Amino acid sequence: MANHTLQEILSQPAAWETVITMMENETGDSKKYPNGYTTDGHQTAQAIFIGCGTSFYLAQSAASIYSKITDVPSRAAPASEVFLFPDSLFAGEPERYQPFLISRSGETTEVLWAAKYIHEHYGIYVNGITCRPGSELLGLADHSFIIPAADEKSVVMTRSFSSMLLLIQYLASLNSEDREFRGELHKLPEIGSSLIKKYKDLPDAIVNEKEILHYVYLGQGPFYGLANESMLKVKEMSLSSSQAYHTLEFRHGPKSMINENMLVTFLFSEMGFESEINVLKEVKKLGARTLSICEEADSVITEYSDYVVELNSGLSDYARLILYMPVTQLLGFNAATAKKMDPDAPANLSQVVTL
Ligand code: F1P
């Protein structure tokens, strides 16, 4: 086995360092996008973060962060929606929208079609975010951010996800001139490295303790995109059944599937903490195994969780997001190795999906 995926998961903090260094020198471009205005001076109605697969889930967390940090209302959409249902996405005055197209490869067909559609029909400025120099997206976008250090040999996206999300967090801090938030982002690589050291063997222990037949990931707000991405990791690498929900939504039907072979992973926020721990209690009482990833465990988390990951980062909800990912990515990786599958070669998938 080549182990590209494992190496890419473990090397994330170094890629985050690169993003921070790159964005520190991005002040010129941040002036191009003053908070609340498009490049041609229109007041921004909405920022739209667009991608496919992992990059779409990234867009979900990005939109939540960008709205909160810049005050520009933001949403996420799969790239196919741009050309299949454009009227609902770009309702009103299209010139007041700011699209961000996200794609590790910069070659995914729907993303390229979306870029072309936006140019041809609305003539507005397209921002590209990718990891691959020389990709077709770069030729179509009016301005691009490229992170070659986060690119991957693997089919499955791991460090590219966290690095492109960090880039958008940083961009939000530049556009809103939020220095406090930016200061928090600078701490991520160091905290990430020590968390990886501390918890890198836990996912292997979890998957080998007792058979898991079903994985569930729960998160609210900016954590919902992370829950979806964690769900995709275990699905892609280990072909296991997995689902993601907003934490409180899990109580409205899906909890009926709980049994002892289900692992429910909680991505705890501080904003929603009190409500989220009530779901943890209920899920545990109904018989699921539980993994809690949280800033700091209280007595309820300790009592009702089979496994606990404490971040102890001292960072706010919107800043510390990417610290949750190495453990859930490793869960996907170890779920695959436990089933004697090669995480570097997932079934039916290729690095770039073209139509
Ligand atoms: C996104 C994507 C991934 C998927 C697979 C193929 O590509 O669909 O979500 O895991 O690796 O690519 P991209 O547009 O970000 O390159």
Side-chain angles (χ1 to χ4, degrees):
M1 266 188 231
N3 274 345
H4 291 310
T5 313
L6 182 60
Q7 191 275 329
E8 288 157 3
I9 293 172
L10 300 179
S11 65
Q12 285 176 96
W16 301 346
E17 282 286 7
T18 314
V19 171
I20 289 169
T21 308
M22 180 183 134
M23 294 305 281
E24 275 176 326
N25 299 317
E26 189 59 31
T27 44
D29 279 312
S30 78
K31 292 207 174 65
K32 277 199 210 160
Y33 317 109
N35 184 16
Y37 290 88
T38 61
T39 41
D40 45 5
H42 290 92
Q43 190 152 23
T44 311
Q46 198 171 70
I48 311 185
F49 293 89
I50 296 162
C52 294
T54 287
S55 296
F56 168 53
Y57 297 143
L58 196 171
Q60 292 178 324
S61 290
S64 173
I65 298 162
Y66 204 77
S67 303
K68 153 77 180 159
I69 303 298
T70 68
D71 286 335
V72 174
S74 310
R75 69 189 285 198
S80 49
E81 289 286 277
V82 172
F83 49 87
L84 295 180
F85 286 88
D87 297 343
S88 55
L89 208 54
F90 292 91
E93 302 165 82
E95 64 277 10
R96 293 177 58 207
Y97 286 81
Q98 239 184 343
F100 291 86
L101 295 179
I102 306 163
S103 172
R104 167 183 67 174
S105 63
E107 302 289 353
T108 296
T109 304
E110 293 101 304
V111 174
L112 302 180
W113 286 1
K116 286 178 192 157
Y117 190 95
I118 292 169
H119 272 148
E120 278 164 25
H121 291 80
Y122 307 130
I124 55 177
Y125 208 83
V126 170
N127 303 288
I129 299 172
T130 182
C131 297
R132 204 153 297 172
S135 60
E136 198 176 338
L137 179 61
L138 298 175
L140 294 170
D142 299 282
H143 179 265
S144 294
F145 299 92
I146 316 162
I147 323 170
D151 202 356
E152 292 153 330
K153 292 201 172 71
S154 296
V155 171
V156 171
M157 294 169 65
T158 54
R159 74 174 171 208
S160 57
F161 173 87
S162 57
S163 302
M164 291 194 285
L165 188 57
L166 174 58
L167 186 142
I168 295 167
Q169 289 176 301
Y170 208 104
L171 188 63
S173 82
L174 290 175
N175 290 359
S176 61
E177 296 184 10
D178 188 336
R179 286 172 203 283
E180 199 182 324
F181 184 61
R182 204 175 314 157
E184 291 191 278
L185 302 180
H186 280 258
K187 297 179 183 160
L188 288 166
E190 199 184 329
I191 302 172
S193 291
S194 48
L195 286 172
I196 288 175
K197 269 194 206 102
K198 186 168 174 195
Y199 289 111
K200 72 176 175 357
D201 298 326
L202 177 67
D204 190 42
I206 295 174
V207 298
N208 285 306
E209 190 172 324
K210 193 171 160 207
E211 192 178 24
I212 301 167
L213 298 176
H214 197 95
Y215 292 80
V216 170
Y217 296 89
L218 303 178
Q220 295 274 153
F223 295 90
Y224 177 63
L226 302 188
N228 275 327
E229 172 57 4
S230 303
M231 170 275 291
L232 187 64
K233 291 309 87 176
V234 75
K235 190 174 282 175
E236 287 180 324
M237 284 191 256
S238 75
L239 312 190
S240 302
S241 155
S242 62
Q243 292 176 309
Y245 299 95
H246 288 90
T247 308
L248 273 64
E249 281 299 297
F250 190 59
R251 297 158 60 238
H252 297 274
K255 71 174 182 186
S256 57
M257 289 181 68
I258 289 177
N259 60 43
E260 59 181 18
N261 295 111
M262 178 185 277
L263 177 73
V264 183
T265 300
F266 287 80
L267 308 176
F268 275 101
S269 65
E270 284 180 283
M271 294 271 289
F273 193 75
E274 291 308 320
S275 304
E276 291 163 6
I277 52 173
N278 287 332
V279 183
L280 169 68
K281 273 192 203 166
E282 187 179 355
V283 164
K284 187 68 215 157
K285 282 181 189 159
L286 289 171
R289 283 161 71 196
T290 52
L291 162 62
S292 292
I293 310 181
C294 56
E295 173 62 8
E296 211 181 310
D298 69 355
S299 58
V300 179
I301 290 195
T302 310
E303 184 180 345
Y304 290 91
S305 307
D306 294 288
Y307 318 99
V308 178
V309 170
E310 273 187 297
L311 303 177
N312 288 319
S313 65
L315 306 179
S316 64
D317 276 346
Y318 287 92
R320 91 173 99 79
L321 294 162
I322 57 177
L323 299 176
Y324 290 65
M325 291 315 295
V327 165
T328 69
Q329 293 162 344
L330 285 170
L331 207 49
F333 177 87
N334 290 123
T337 53
K339 287 168 109 176
K340 307 270 179 276
M341 291 172 175
D342 179 0
D344 281 355
N348 305 337
L349 279 180
S350 50
Q351 246 234 359
V352 184
V353 176
T354 49
L355 294 178

